[in-house]
Amino acid sequence: MKVIKGNLIDKFMDSEFQVIILGINCYRTKEEGIITEVFERLPEVDFADKMYLGDGDFDKLSTYNTACIRREDNTVGVVASLYTKFEPGKIHEDALTLGFKRLALDLSRGDTKIGIPVDIAEGNWETIKPKIVEIMEGHDVTFVEYEQ
């Protein structure tokens, strides 16, 4: 799995990825980082999050919802919002691991281009990356480090 620099949302909207996976909290709190940009640029993601269980519902942890986004080239991409923490702050590593296992089972192996922001690890990159790599083995995953 490779790591590139760039803007994940721009790359997704340019159809470089069919699926992107984001980490969010169970309260729908828009924290700093990529999730703020996602909710601003892709309102479908915010809407899907609003429709998925209730705010602050602990049962969201380690699950995900999806939003389908029609892009300018008339392709449809999918944004998967993975609930990696209960409230704003530090990620829950077990929730992240279980959530990725669920996603890995639901995604096609090999032929689906998947983008994941490096900041999904929130500073724990050296610990989290090997877990994601192991779980997503066989999938075409690219990690994107934010760069303007």
Side-chain angles (χ1 to χ4, degrees):
M1 294 180 198
K2 58 188 175 254
V3 178
I4 62 171
K5 293 184 183 237
N7 183 305
L8 179 62
I9 307 309
D10 289 344
K11 291 180 178 304
F12 173 73
M13 293 306 290
D14 290 340
S15 297
E16 291 183 40
F17 300 111
Q18 294 160 305
V19 176
I20 57 175
I21 301 171
L22 308 170
I24 63 175
N25 67 67
C26 296
Y27 280 93
R28 294 185 357 84
T29 305
K30 297 165 184 75
E31 301 177 63
E32 292 182 12
I34 192 169
I35 198 65
T36 301
E37 182 179 352
V38 168
F39 282 164
E40 288 173 1
R41 291 181 59 188
L42 307 173
E44 301 92 335
V45 176
D46 191 27
F47 181 77
D49 188 32
K50 285 178 187 175
M51 298 294 104
Y52 188 70
L53 299 174
D55 286 350
D57 190 327
F58 192 77
D59 290 337
K60 285 183 177 181
L61 204 56
S62 80
T63 67
Y64 66 93
N65 70 59
T66 58
C68 295
I69 311 294
R70 180 165 304 280
R71 301 178 279 206
E72 287 184 22
D73 63 1
N74 274 336
T75 62
V76 175
V78 175
V79 177
S81 298
L82 176 59
Y83 294 93
T84 59
K85 51 191 167 181
F86 182 62
E87 56 192 7
K90 187 178 177 201
I91 63 168
H92 190 289
E93 288 187 30
D94 290 340
L96 182 134
T97 302
L98 181 56
F100 267 101
K101 286 179 180 179
R102 289 176 171 162
L103 276 165
L105 290 172
D106 291 343
L107 291 168
S108 299
R109 288 187 179 266
D111 60 348
T112 302
K113 294 185 184 303
I114 302 166
I116 301 172
V118 167
D119 75 352
I120 199 166
E122 295 188 352
N124 298 319
W125 184 238
E126 297 307 316
T127 304
I128 299 297
K129 182 183 177 188
K131 292 178 182 183
I132 296 173
V133 168
E134 179 182 347
I135 294 166
M136 299 300 288
E137 185 178 350
H139 293 280
D140 185 359
V141 172
T142 300
F143 295 104
V144 180
E145 186 176 341
Y146 184 74
E147 180 180 80
Q148 286 186 312

